[in-house]
Amino acid sequence: MNLPVSTSSPAGLLLAGLFGLIFGILLHKGRVTDYNVIVNLFRFRDFTVLKIMLTAILVGGIGVALMMSGGLLEGWHIKEMNVLGVVLGGVLFGIGMVLYGYCPGTGVAAIATGSVHAMVGGLGMIVGGVIYALTFAWAKGSILSVGALGKLRLADVTGIPDLVWWIILVPASLLVFRFLNRRERAAG
Amino acid sequence: MESSPCCQTGPSALLKRKSWNPYAVGVGIGVLSWLAFLVVNKPIGMSTEISKFSGWFASLFVGMERVTANGYWSGTKPSFGYETIFLLMTAVGALLSSKLSGTFSFEKVPAVWSAHHGPGVAKRMITAFLGGIIILYGARLAGGCTSGHGISGTLQLAVSSWVFFISMFASGIVTAALTFRNKTTRL
């Protein structure tokens, strides 16, 4: 079979189902379908989300970097760095995540675990998408165009190569993990 | 020694557990990212697909023709495909996992919310609804969510994703400090 498989082929759609199924199981077993776990991250009382995300970034990132340098991948999938859009979007996202208690992916998964308020917030997300589409012309002209720098990677803007970034990120994350584990043990 | 259900192994026993070690879950999501890049060349993401659901929702009122004439939806056409199946099966995975582990429940007001804002259902539902609007609008402005930016983008060392990650965290910490102020509760 030639890789990558087309996402519109029957095999691609089958893989979408398999990957989604695994993702949903992982989100639930990671307890990030629990409102309390998500909100308590921002209150420094539960670091489950941070542990999962940092581990996923390290494992995923190093694997993808190796596949890229081995010529197995067609290219990066980088999102545009629109300074105002990304910062303002991130700020709104943080507010929304604490009020909703979920992010879009964990919200979808939480609905399926029975959470009624995740469902109501899910309807809110659908409405949010409608509002975005209705205000898209304004957002594009007044927000997304401010500081539109294009698809940048850390190596492009800092001149520091990927390898060095990983040499920094791995031990830095391990120190964070050690700190969190000690703190949790001390708290009992 | 008596064997407790928590410590049995094998696929079905694993799925019956209430939770897994967070680092193991992180490794799982990391490996899933490898497969997403290598096998289908499509990073994991969620919020774009939700915007397509918004398009379908809007089409109930104004018809699909007017929806696809919109500047945003003309570029992100609501069509059933890979991402739709991924989203639906994410829900199926979470349903399966919560049913097998016995944690499925129709939760209306979670414990931490209740400790700070009381047991009222309406207040929780309105806040969740508003939070949902704000989070998706933010995700669209930024171009991704915790999946697309927070994991798939950061792992590629994308500038936009790291800036998003830091902005989101900082804003979340401030929001939580302002909205959870009941000092008499342990929760």
Side-chain angles (χ1 to χ4, degrees):
Chain A
M1 189 158 55
N2 286 327
L3 294 180
V5 173
S6 161
T7 50
S8 54
S9 69
L13 298 178
L14 205 66
L15 287 164
L18 179 67
F19 293 166
L21 185 77
I22 295 171
F23 193 51
I25 292 172
L26 287 168
L27 292 179
H28 178 257
K29 294 301 181 205
R31 294 174 57 235
V32 291
T33 53
D34 182 343
Y35 167 97
N36 303 298
V37 170
I38 302 239
V39 162
N40 276 348
L41 166 70
F42 297 104
R43 302 173 67 221
F44 305 112
R45 283 164 184 244
D46 187 323
F47 294 96
T48 306
V49 177
L50 194 63
K51 289 176 190 170
I52 292 175
M53 287 189 76
L54 281 181
T55 310
I57 292 168
L58 294 186
V59 172
I62 292 170
V64 167
L66 289 174
M67 289 191 275
M68 184 63 84
S69 60
L72 293 172
L73 304 180
E74 290 179 353
W76 299 107
H77 293 273
I78 304 294
K79 294 172 189 288
E80 306 262 346
M81 180 52 188
N82 308 316
V83 178
L84 186 58
V86 170
V87 172
L88 186 61
V91 168
L92 288 175
F93 196 94
I95 296 170
M97 193 156 164
V98 171
L99 297 182
Y100 182 20
Y102 302 102
C103 56
T106 55
V108 166
I111 292 169
T113 68
S115 170
V116 180
H117 58 113
M119 180 78 215
V120 172
L123 297 175
M125 289 200 289
I126 289 177
V127 172
V130 173
I131 296 174
Y132 184 73
L134 292 176
T135 57
F136 180 68
W138 167 80
K140 196 178 171 188
S142 309
I143 309 277
L144 303 182
S145 55
V146 180
L149 306 176
K151 299 183 176 184
L152 291 176
R153 299 185 62 251
L154 292 176
D156 304 326
V157 286
T158 59
I160 298 167
D162 285 7
L163 182 64
V164 178
W165 277 106
W166 289 116
I167 290 174
I168 298 168
L169 281 170
V170 172
S173 303
L174 294 179
L175 278 174
V176 170
F177 294 152
R178 199 172 77 147
F179 172 75
L180 296 180
N181 289 340
R182 280 192 178 175
R183 203 180 132 128
E184 279 166 5
R185 221 170 298 144
Chain B
M1 210 169 75
E2 201 181 330
S3 77
S4 65
C6 87
C7 305
Q8 291 169 353
T9 48
S12 79
L14 271 177
L15 282 173
K16 281 179 185 163
R17 288 194 197 174
K18 283 190 168 49
S19 66
W20 294 345
N21 179 301
Y23 298 110
V25 171
V27 171
I29 294 176
V31 172
L32 192 61
S33 289
W34 301 351
L35 296 174
F37 274 89
L38 182 68
V39 182
V40 289
N41 193 29
K42 188 166 198 64
I44 295 169
M46 197 62 80
S47 56
T48 307
E49 183 57 32
I50 294 177
S51 318
K52 291 185 189 170
F53 277 78
S54 304
W56 278 313
F57 176 72
S59 77
L60 297 177
F61 301 94
V62 298
M64 193 48 94
E65 231 166 85
R66 282 191 61 193
V67 166
T68 49
N70 171 277
Y72 178 70
W73 283 313
S74 64
T76 311
K77 285 205 172 62
S79 57
F80 189 91
Y82 180 92
E83 292 156 303
T84 325
I85 296 175
F86 182 85
L87 181 145
L88 294 174
M89 288 305 283
T90 296
V92 171
L95 172 67
L96 188 78
S97 176
S98 64
K99 279 288 185 190
L100 285 174
S101 59
T103 61
F104 182 95
S105 79
F106 291 109
E107 177 187 81
K108 290 192 185 73
V109 183
V112 170
W113 171 276
S114 183
H116 289 263
H117 306 293
V121 174
K123 197 173 166 188
R124 172 62 202 136
M125 295 303 171
I126 292 167
T127 308
F129 187 76
L130 291 176
I133 293 178
I134 297 169
I135 201 168
L136 208 86
Y137 199 90
R140 289 316 344 110
L141 277 185
C145 62
T146 332
S147 313
H149 261 314
I151 292 172
S152 301
T154 50
L155 71 81
Q156 297 177 79
L157 305 179
V159 174
S160 55
S161 300
W162 281 95
V163 171
F164 172 81
F165 195 51
I166 293 163
S167 314
M168 177 267 272
F169 252 97
S171 155
I173 289 165
V174 172
T175 309
L178 293 173
T179 54
F180 291 89
R181 303 172 79 161
N182 181 357
K183 297 230 175 356
T184 61
T185 175
R186 274 188 68 245
L187 283 174

